[in-house]
Amino acid sequence: MNYELNDRDLDDLIIASLERKETLDALNGIIVKEVRRKACHEWVRRWARIAVFSFGMPLQLLIFVAGIYVASRLQSFQAFRYVLLIPIITMSYLAWHGMKNFSIADV
Amino acid sequence: MEDRELVREIIEKGHTGLFAEFVKRYSGIVYSKALGVVRQDDWAAEVTQSTFVKAYEQLRCWRGQQIGPWLVTIAMHTALHLLEKERVRRAQPVDNIADDIPDTFDNEREEMIQRMESAIRQLPSGEQELINLHYYQHQKTADIARITGLSQQNVLVKLHRIREKLRKELKTAN
């Protein structure tokens, strides 16, 4: 490889290097912004999962218990059946979804 | 800080901001390697961006001493995937994509640009500012003198010395 550059080639090379540096500086800024956005997004998702898992289950249990109470007051087996069905299905879904995505390592 | 320590800080302590250090350290080499494959600046920029985002997402999977080779591997896969996408989009073999786009990529010149970048980084900050003002911002000698507080004669002498220093660095690097 010939490193005996004339003045013009040397100047061109310096310019190309400086332009490359500016390109990389701009690119670095974009990359860091994107990574920060992902990190923020992941943080929100992680805590949302924890909140849903921690509060969603007791909330469904509460709805279930409330539903049983209301159904018993109404003295209607039909109502009781529907009330039972909704929280059972919702709880099952939440439990499945929460366990599928939850990981202690993520906390 | 070593690469492993940085990774530990990012994963275990959540210091996401430290990932910028990886970007600063390795974006040049990743960009250069990507450019060697995709042969276009905007594609190389896209590959570089995707590489670091993927690396961040998969940082927990990294096992090693130096993260550079791992980043380059991701970059190569990303670059080849991009070329494959282009091939499908254009319905042409990958080798023929360059027929539509003027191929201005020169391996030898790319290596010289990298060596020059390295040489410029080793200059003191004052000298880097001088060549940046002259070569990148195209400032006139009088304006450079005003900005730096040097005399015009001094600016010219310094620029000459810096150029010779860089020329010598390139020769030494050979």
Side-chain angles (χ1 to χ4, degrees):
Chain A
M1 195 174 303
N2 181 19
Y3 284 91
E4 293 295 334
L5 297 167
N6 58 37
D7 287 351
R8 185 177 169 158
D9 288 344
L10 182 67
D11 287 347
D12 285 346
L13 198 54
I14 292 172
I15 291 169
S17 301
L18 292 173
E19 284 172 352
R20 172 66 59 84
K21 182 181 175 299
E22 287 300 315
T23 302
L24 287 175
D25 285 346
L27 190 54
N28 290 355
I30 293 169
I31 291 169
V32 168
K33 220 180 195 176
E34 176 70 16
V35 165
R36 281 198 179 127
R37 192 188 66 79
K38 278 205 172 287
C40 183
H41 186 62
E42 183 53 38
W43 185 88
V44 168
R45 279 182 63 201
R46 189 194 314 149
W47 284 105
R49 281 200 301 266
I50 290 172
V52 165
F53 188 77
S54 305
F55 296 104
M57 297 291 283
L59 187 63
Q60 286 301 310
L61 193 61
L62 193 65
I63 294 171
F64 177 66
V65 167
I68 290 175
Y69 174 74
V70 167
S72 66
R73 295 286 287 183
L74 289 173
Q75 293 182 341
S76 160
F77 180 69
Q78 191 87 342
F80 181 71
R81 202 168 52 180
Y82 287 134
V83 165
L84 257 185
L85 215 55
I86 294 168
I88 284 173
I89 292 173
T90 313
M91 263 170 42
S92 303
Y93 171 77
L94 279 176
W96 167 78
H97 191 64
M99 292 311 295
K100 187 182 81 159
N101 293 319
F102 184 76
S103 168
I104 282 290
D106 290 342
V107 179
Chain B
M1 210 184 274
E2 298 279 332
D3 287 351
R4 293 190 74 158
E5 285 173 48
L6 268 175
V7 170
R8 202 178 304 124
E9 288 287 317
I10 293 168
I11 293 175
E12 292 176 10
K13 297 182 185 173
H15 294 159
T16 316
L18 288 176
F19 193 79
E21 183 58 29
F22 280 133
V23 178
K24 191 176 154 189
R25 282 182 195 179
Y26 295 109
S27 61
I29 190 167
V30 168
Y31 182 90
S32 186
K33 294 287 183 188
L35 191 60
V37 174
V38 299
R39 308 277 172 142
Q40 285 191 78
D41 287 321
D42 50 349
W43 285 1
E46 189 183 325
V47 168
T48 306
Q49 186 177 343
S50 299
T51 296
F52 280 100
V53 170
K54 281 181 195 169
Y56 176 75
E57 288 169 350
Q58 297 167 27
L59 204 56
R60 286 175 194 278
C61 304
W62 177 68
R63 301 279 181 270
Q65 294 293 334
Q66 294 230 317
I67 209 167
W70 184 62
L71 288 169
V72 168
T73 304
I74 297 174
M76 292 296 102
H77 287 146
T78 308
L80 290 171
H81 180 68
L82 178 68
L83 286 180
E84 180 62 21
K85 258 176 44 180
E86 278 298 309
R87 182 192 73 82
V88 169
R89 192 177 72 82
R90 294 168 191 237
Q92 284 179 11
V94 170
D95 290 342
N96 292 343
I97 287 175
D99 290 346
D100 292 346
I101 301 153
D103 186 359
T104 56
F105 184 77
D106 180 346
N107 272 318
E108 190 174 320
R109 182 167 170 77
E110 177 61 24
E111 192 170 334
M112 291 187 76
I113 289 173
Q114 285 185 53
R115 291 186 195 277
M116 180 58 83
E117 269 187 280
S118 174
I120 290 172
R121 267 200 302 273
Q122 288 171 35
L123 293 174
S125 57
E127 290 181 359
Q128 287 188 38
E129 189 195 357
L130 262 181
I131 57 167
N132 192 52
L133 285 168
H134 178 69
Y135 286 101
Y136 187 72
Q137 297 184 30
H138 305 293
Q139 298 279 357
K140 292 179 184 166
T141 312
D143 293 328
I144 297 174
R146 183 176 45 79
I147 292 166
T148 58
L150 299 167
S151 66
Q152 289 189 42
Q153 186 64 23
N154 211 349
V155 166
L156 289 171
V157 168
K158 277 186 179 286
L159 280 172
H160 175 75
R161 282 184 187 159
I162 291 166
R163 286 170 76 246
E164 292 311 310
K165 195 192 280 189
L166 291 172
R167 195 197 302 268
K168 191 179 165 188
E169 271 297 319
L170 285 184
K171 256 192 195 168
T172 313
N174 190 21

